[in-house]
Amino acid sequence: MIKNVTFLFLIFSSVLFAQIYPDQFYVQRIDSIYANIESSDGIKLSPDGKSIMLQDSVKEGYFILKPQSSAEPFNRGLPSWNGSSPYNNAGFKVQMRFPYGSGWSSWLTVGFWKDYIWNSYGATGYGDLNIDIDNVVMTTYRSKWQYKVILTRTNVNVTSPTINKLSFFVSDSRTTDNVNYTQLLNDKPAAIFIPTGFIYQYGVDPQIGGSICSPTSVAMILKSYGIGVNPYQFAMDNYDPYYNIFGVWPRAVQNAAEHGLDGAVTRYRNWSDAREVLANGGRIAMSIGLPLYAGHLVMLAGFTSDGRPIVHDPAKSNGYSYLHNKNDLAMSWFGKGGVAYTFYHPDSVAAGIEEQFANHPVSDFNLYQNYPNPFNPTTNIMFSIGSAQHVSLKVYDMLGKEIEVLLDEEMNAGNYIVNFDGSELASGVYLCKLVAGNRSETKKMLLMK
């Protein structure tokens, strides 16, 4: 029989356990933003109800949102946003703060759009908290944060900047530290290919060509949706005058938002999840590092029939539909944290980014895909029930033989996670079946040793 099955109740737990905490993605769109304003001055809802903007007679305003909480702790965070500020003399600045001691840290600036028009950028560090350009880094784990957004224009006759979405992808740094490259090499998604108009970054402009992989990759993503942009102007719009670089992650996402895309800075942990996004109409720009590059962005174009990733690599003149060594690319991307820009076109078949990176609010009934999957030898099985009822959670082999009873008891409403240890099993596909009341759901789990 299988031993070491760990049961955790997520909602009320505040104790830090030894397990690695899963990635979580939190998004607030305009309805949620406007409904959760804790304090504000000089702002209003836009006439079309789709964004927040400055009141007609003011040059600067702000809003602070009520604190948000994550289901599980994190020590890394990737903020991003969608809004608009097409003119150089108007913009918005996004700040965040986190619990510190018995209160809160100071407000930390995590980025701005578009030109730098503020007298002071603001703090980027407080205690063990640090904003590493576009990455929230902390040495201890937290599970709360709060947003402040400052909107500014130099003259009331200038069109107001607007903002309509705030995203925060949080994770545990230990996930990146424990990448299983054998699993990634054996992860072979089905064939798919996303064509685009190729852009060679060094051909855009001889002076900035070596520095614009990020905006060039996003420009190719826009072209793949039939949205044409001038690569040079798009790169200049991406330029961050405070840090003096072209590759700040949330700026690239925001730059695409000016052209109609719904985007966020996210992470991926396997090829199959990335392939699912492409299949659902999404696009991915991968932030990669060594051994392929010191730091670079490429567009994920798809996968070959034998599961090798295809990229459009703007650093190579022959980079269209380019095949890097799969293991080298895995080390360059997943070993750097799997950071990516994820985009959807509003007309795409997918409902949106939230559905690809659900943070799993309590639902009436749901069995989520186990994490990680494939796994070796342990994995986490998460499910939700909306009311108190009898719950059965069992694992079967593909012949229908019962392998293990993980749960068989009365349970209260909530989100739950069960740790399954397959160390005594052979590699293969297993079935996890959840039964709650008169409802049931089954997921496939792949054990690869």
Side-chain angles (χ1 to χ4, degrees):
M1 297 296 288
I2 298 167
K3 307 298 182 183
N4 190 29
V5 177
T6 304
F7 170 69
L8 302 175
F9 184 38
L10 297 181
I11 293 181
F12 301 110
S13 176
S14 61
V15 181
L16 300 184
F17 296 93
Q19 84 277 3
I20 296 176
Y21 300 107
D23 293 338
Q24 302 161 86
F25 186 50
Y26 297 90
V27 177
Q28 288 185 280
R29 295 185 182 272
I30 186 58
D31 290 345
S32 177
I33 292 173
Y34 199 70
N36 285 284
I37 291 177
E38 183 177 78
S39 62
S40 66
D41 184 60
I43 58 102
K44 66 176 184 178
L45 194 63
S46 63
D48 62 5
K50 295 181 178 180
S51 58
I52 290 177
M53 62 186 299
L54 289 168
Q55 295 175 1
D56 296 341
S57 59
V58 302
K59 293 192 294 183
E60 183 165 299
Y62 76 91
F63 63 87
I64 297 174
L65 298 185
K66 298 173 184 177
Q68 281 191 274
S69 298
S70 60
E72 298 197 61
F74 59 89
N75 68 348
R76 296 291 186 271
L78 299 171
S80 54
W81 44 85
N82 289 184
S84 180
S85 183
Y87 303 106
N88 295 335
N89 45 5
F92 56 83
K93 180 163 58 173
V94 180
Q95 297 183 321
M96 300 179 75
R97 66 179 182 179
F98 302 86
Y100 194 87
S102 60
W104 290 89
S105 70
S106 62
W107 288 107
L108 306 177
T109 299
V110 295
F112 65 95
W113 182 260
K114 180 180 182 184
D115 279 1
Y116 186 68
I117 58 175
W118 289 272
N119 293 327
S120 171
Y121 185 80
T124 57
Y126 189 91
D128 72 315
L129 294 158
N130 180 53
I131 309 301
D132 184 14
I133 301 181
D134 38 27
N135 188 10
V136 179
V137 177
M138 52 189 72
T139 58
T140 57
Y141 290 82
R142 290 172 172 81
S143 56
K144 288 186 178 181
W145 65 94
Q146 196 169 15
Y147 282 112
K148 179 180 182 180
V149 178
I150 303 168
L151 295 89
T152 306
R153 55 185 168 183
T154 58
N155 189 293
V156 294
N157 295 319
V158 174
T159 301
S160 171
T162 63
I163 191 164
N164 56 64
K165 176 184 171 185
L166 293 165
S167 304
F168 196 39
F169 195 105
V170 299
S171 56
D172 185 338
S173 61
R174 295 173 296 173
T175 304
T176 300
D177 296 339
N178 291 276
V179 176
N180 187 321
Y181 293 105
T182 300
Q183 287 185 359
L184 292 172
L185 192 62
N186 292 326
D187 183 7
K188 298 178 180 180
I192 190 172
F193 183 72
I194 308 297
T196 189
F198 182 69
I199 305 171
Y200 177 47
Q201 68 184 75
Y202 293 94
V204 173
D205 182 87
Q207 294 186 342
I208 65 173
S211 304
I212 59 172
C213 58
S214 174
T216 302
S217 294
V218 177
M220 287 194 291
I221 284 174
L222 285 162
K223 286 179 178 292
S224 76
Y225 282 125
I227 303 172
V229 295
N230 180 297
Y232 176 80
Q233 186 57 54
F234 190 80
M236 295 307 297
D237 289 342
N238 223 80
Y239 175 72
D240 186 314
Y242 182 79
Y243 285 111
N244 192 30
I245 55 177
F246 290 88
V248 176
W249 294 332
R251 283 186 71 86
V253 167
Q254 170 54 39
N255 200 5
E258 291 283 9
H259 297 270
L261 296 192
D262 179 12
V265 184
T266 59
R267 291 187 192 270
Y268 294 83
R269 304 300 186 178
N270 59 68
W271 297 116
S272 290
D273 286 350
R275 199 265 182 204
E276 182 181 356
V277 169
L278 300 185
N280 286 337
R283 302 288 191 270
I284 298 169
M286 308 158 60
S287 178
I288 61 178
L290 297 173
L292 293 178
Y293 295 95
H296 189 45
L297 268 291
V298 299
M299 176 183 170
L300 180 61
F303 296 89
T304 64
S305 59
D306 58 353
R308 290 178 293 165
I310 310 167
V311 301
H312 299 315
D313 188 340
K316 297 182 178 295
S317 59
N318 63 339
Y320 185 79
S321 188
Y322 195 87
L323 292 174
H324 286 285
N325 176 277
K326 184 176 183 179
N327 198 56
D328 287 349
L329 188 58
M331 294 176 68
S332 297
W333 189 27
F334 300 113
K336 193 183 176 184
V339 175
Y341 316 148
T342 299
F343 297 105
Y344 283 95
H345 190 280
D347 297 333
S348 136
V349 296
I353 294 176
E354 291 91 324
E355 284 66 31
Q356 297 294 152
F357 300 95
N359 57 357
H360 305 314
V362 176
S363 65
D364 180 50
F365 176 86
N366 210 337
L367 174 64
Y368 303 99
Q369 188 62 56
N370 61 300
Y371 174 90
N373 189 46
F375 67 99
N376 179 27
T378 63
T379 190
N380 295 308
I381 302 167
M382 184 174 179
F383 65 93
S384 300
I385 53 174
S387 61
Q389 53 194 300
H390 189 90
V391 173
S392 167
L393 184 66
K394 299 179 180 181
V395 176
Y396 300 85
D397 66 17
M398 291 301 290
L399 298 177
K401 178 183 177 182
E402 183 178 290
I403 301 298
E404 177 69 7
V405 177
L406 301 178
L407 291 172
D408 190 13
E409 61 187 86
E410 292 291 325
M411 302 183 71
N412 293 321
N415 290 327
Y416 295 88
I417 187 168
V418 175
N419 180 264
F420 175 66
D421 186 350
S423 57
E424 298 179 18
L425 298 175
S427 296
V429 177
Y430 295 87
L431 302 176
C432 177
K433 183 176 182 180
L434 173 70
V435 178
N438 61 357
R439 304 174 68 176
S440 67
E441 188 171 357
T442 302
K443 295 288 186 184
K444 291 182 179 180
M445 307 187 298
L446 179 58
L447 173 61
M448 297 183 65
K449 293 184 176 180

